[in-house]
């Protein structure tokens, strides 16, 4: 995923705020293996997430409140398909600089907001961003992508882990606060995290992989080590979600990007319990904050995803929306799931595809999105058209047949 920040004064107009100046570490639960003591402690109340009639449209839809149309945003809506982003990236070629510098995070996150006015503004970051804050360093190389020089595959490796230290993530908190101020009530500010299994694939494999042989082998050869790692990740990521909400995020998406690489029965054992743990911990602190779960290649997992406790399930483009609705039942929201390649089609065809997805999803608890991230090379005109069409949609509140009427 395209999103991670360092710290230079870029002079883009935002100044670092004096957030989180106190020194202490926020920690919900103690780690099972006596981690290093934390430095700072934050008392988070999720006050920013209290339910209100003035909540952004996306938040209302995610909670299942009546809305006049489906809210819309796109995964990877800030990124390389935008000329303005490419120009900024030439000036700041380090991805970690772009995604770990408050001014740059805010600038990049607001680029699609200013251009297209989506209903959700997602922070420009990466699922790996919090890793150094609990003991795991990584680099991003141009060809290889994320690289972890010391993969964790032994009990000795677990010793580097410690509770998450938010002093090392101030840029995330500061950026979310500024984004909330910038968009006001006109859009939802979205935060996101990686699911424990997905993060563990990078930590165990040492980076990206196409085979997942090391971590899948650990399920059988060193299950106690893998469980300890996943448990620590669950607690750290739950803390990180609460931190994001308190900093200004209205809604959080959990990406189990590589959960779809597991057979369904293995996902039940090695991913689902840790997602459920995160959801349970977060809901105790932030009961009104909608949580979205997205798994790439989730067609074989839909029914199993329902009782994770999330509010919305994202469907990739390979799942028929009407079939997905039927399989998930009426008690949970859906997000998606226009094929990203549709944005390369004639605009009339794109309009028809958006209308088809919205009709299939029905008028309740649907967030319009792509079935995956925006593809590199996507015409900006098509992205603008996507959001124009989304704003033109009107639910037929008189209809009794669960369809959407296009104005």
């Amino acid at each position: 995923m395209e999103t991670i920040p360092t710290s230079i004064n870029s002079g883009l107009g935002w100044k670092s705020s004096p957030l989180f100046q106190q020194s202490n570490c926020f920690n919900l639960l103690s780690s099972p293996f006596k981690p290093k003591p934390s430095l700072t402690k934050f008392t988070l109340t999720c006050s920013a997430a209290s339910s209100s009639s003035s909540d952004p449209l996306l938040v209302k839809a995610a909670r299942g409140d009546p809305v006049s149309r489906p809210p819309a945003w796109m995964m990877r809506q800030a990124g390389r398909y935008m000329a303005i982003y490419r120009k900024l990236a030439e000036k700041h070629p380090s991805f970690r600089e772009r995604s770990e510098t408050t001014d740059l995070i805010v600038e990049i996150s607001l680029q699609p907001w200013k251009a297209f006015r989506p209903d959700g503004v997602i922070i420009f970051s990466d699922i790996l961003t919090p890793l150094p804050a609990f003991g795991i360093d990584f680099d991003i190389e141009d060809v290889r992508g994320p690289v972890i020089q010391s993969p964790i595959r032994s009990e000795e490796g677990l010793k580097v882990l410690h509770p998450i230290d938010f002093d090392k993530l101030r840029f995330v908190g500061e950026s979310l606060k500024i984004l909330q101020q910038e968009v006001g009530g006109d859009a939802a500010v979205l935060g996101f995290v990686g699911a424990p299994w997905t993060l563990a694939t990078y930590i165990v494999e040492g980076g990206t992989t196409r085979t997942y042989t090391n971590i899948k082998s650990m399920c059988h050869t060193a299950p106690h080590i893998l469980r300890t790692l996943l448990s620590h990740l669950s607690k750290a990521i739950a803390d990180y979600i609460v931190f994001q909400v308190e900093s200004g995020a209205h809604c959080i998406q959990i990406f189990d990007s590589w959960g779809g690489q597991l057979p369904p029965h293995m996902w039940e054992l090695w991913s689902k319990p840790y997602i459920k743990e995160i959801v349970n911990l977060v809901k105790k602190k932030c009961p009104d904050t909608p949580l979205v779960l997205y798994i790439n290649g989730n067609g074989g997992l839909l029914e199993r995803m329902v009782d994770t406790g999330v509010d919305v399930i994202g469907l990739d483009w390979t799942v028929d929306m009407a079939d997905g609705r039927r399989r998930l039942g009426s008690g949970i929201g859906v997000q998606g799931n226009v094929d990203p390649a549709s944005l390369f089609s004639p605009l009339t065809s794109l309009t028809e595809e958006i209308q088809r997805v919205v009709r299939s999803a029905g008028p309740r608890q649907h967030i319009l999105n792509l079935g995956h991230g925006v593809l590199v090379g996507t015409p900006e005109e098509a992205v603008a058209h996507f959001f124009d069409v989304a704003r033109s949609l009107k639910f037929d509140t008189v209809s009794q047949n669960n369809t959407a009427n296009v104005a």
Side-chain angles (χ1 to χ4, degrees):
M1 286 187 53
E2 176 106 351
T3 35
I4 306 183
T6 95
S7 73
I8 67 165
N9 185 354
S10 64
L12 291 173
W14 289 278
K15 295 181 180 179
S16 296
S17 61
L19 296 173
F20 316 116
Q21 298 268 335
Q22 302 171 338
S23 32
N24 21 353
C25 183
F26 173 67
N27 180 25
L28 282 176
L29 292 177
S30 60
S31 171
F33 51 92
K34 297 183 180 179
K36 299 174 184 178
S38 56
L39 301 176
T40 21
K41 197 169 193 176
F42 297 97
T43 302
L44 303 185
T45 61
C46 288
S47 57
S50 299
S51 181
S52 168
S53 59
S54 62
D55 285 330
L57 180 70
L58 187 149
V59 175
K60 291 180 180 178
R63 290 178 182 151
D65 297 339
V67 292
S68 60
R69 65 170 178 85
W73 71 283
M74 290 183 179
M75 290 181 280
R76 290 184 183 163
Q77 69 185 12
R80 289 171 289 172
Y81 74 97
M82 295 189 72
I84 191 172
Y85 174 85
R86 296 194 298 272
K87 184 176 180 180
L88 184 147
E90 289 178 1
K91 185 178 179 181
H92 303 280
S94 166
F95 178 71
R96 290 198 64 178
E97 177 190 338
R98 296 195 298 274
S99 59
E100 295 180 9
T101 307
T102 299
D103 290 351
L104 295 176
I105 297 168
V106 173
E107 173 75 3
I108 294 168
S109 302
L110 290 177
Q111 286 174 349
W113 163 248
K114 293 176 179 178
F116 311 120
R117 281 299 196 267
D119 295 300
V121 175
I122 190 165
I123 184 173
F124 184 78
S125 185
D126 191 86
I127 60 173
L128 301 185
T129 294
L131 266 58
F134 50 82
I136 302 171
D137 293 325
F138 71 94
D139 299 310
I140 294 186
E141 299 180 359
D142 290 340
V143 177
R144 296 176 62 192
V147 176
I148 295 173
Q149 298 293 348
S150 301
I152 295 178
R153 299 173 188 170
S154 66
E155 291 185 8
E156 185 68 22
L158 294 171
K159 292 179 180 179
V160 304
L161 299 175
H162 57 75
I164 192 165
D165 179 2
F166 289 104
D167 277 341
K168 296 182 178 180
L169 292 167
R170 290 186 182 184
F171 53 84
V172 173
E174 292 171 355
S175 299
L176 287 167
K177 183 176 179 64
I178 295 168
L179 288 173
Q180 188 186 58
Q181 294 168 347
E182 288 293 317
V183 304
D186 295 330
V189 174
L190 309 177
F192 69 92
V193 298
W197 169 264
T198 288
L199 295 179
T201 64
Y202 291 98
I203 295 168
V204 171
E205 299 286 346
T208 56
T209 177
R210 294 185 178 183
T211 60
Y212 308 89
T213 51
N214 288 302
I215 191 167
K216 287 186 177 183
S217 176
M218 279 184 72
C219 295
H220 307 284
T221 61
H224 61 293
I225 294 172
L226 186 54
R227 288 192 186 102
T228 302
L229 174 60
L230 291 168
S231 180
H232 185 86
L233 290 171
S234 298
K235 296 172 180 63
I237 294 305
D239 289 2
Y240 186 41
I241 289 175
V242 176
F243 173 77
Q244 290 188 49
V245 174
E246 183 62 15
S247 299
H250 296 101
C251 179
I252 300 290
Q253 179 151 314
I254 301 169
F255 284 91
D256 195 6
S257 305
W258 310 129
Q261 297 297 319
L262 286 169
H265 74 284
M266 292 291 282
W267 184 82
E268 286 268 4
L269 292 173
W270 292 104
S271 185
K272 181 177 178 177
Y274 302 97
I275 295 173
K276 289 184 72 171
E277 181 180 2
I278 289 172
V279 173
N280 290 338
L281 291 171
V282 171
K283 289 297 186 181
K284 289 177 183 176
K285 290 278 186 177
C286 313
D288 295 316
T289 300
L291 299 177
V292 182
L293 175 60
Y294 174 82
I295 302 176
N296 188 33
N298 62 3
L301 298 172
L302 290 186
E303 291 85 354
R304 299 169 190 258
M305 294 169 68
V306 173
D307 67 345
T308 55
V310 298
D311 303 281
V312 179
I313 289 177
L315 304 181
D316 75 17
W317 76 98
T318 67
V319 177
D320 179 78
M321 177 59 78
D323 185 53
R325 269 294 202 192
R326 178 186 60 78
R327 291 170 59 189
L328 291 170
S330 60
I332 195 165
V334 291
Q335 178 176 273
N337 69 337
V338 174
D339 184 347
S342 295
L343 278 77
F344 292 85
S345 304
L347 297 185
T348 53
S349 299
L350 175 59
T351 299
E352 292 171 359
E353 176 61 8
I354 293 168
Q355 293 173 352
R356 183 194 66 79
V357 168
V358 172
R359 289 193 185 97
S360 298
R364 182 181 176 277
Q365 213 169 358
H366 174 225
I367 299 170
L368 180 62
N369 205 315
L370 303 180
H372 199 268
V374 182
L375 299 172
V376 176
T378 296
E380 292 186 47
E381 177 190 15
V383 176
H385 183 75
F386 179 96
F387 288 113
D388 287 342
V389 172
R391 281 187 290 271
S392 76
L393 299 172
K394 300 294 179 185
F395 287 134
D396 182 359
T397 56
V398 179
S399 174
Q400 300 298 314
N401 61 358
N402 213 36
T403 61
N405 187 32
V406 180

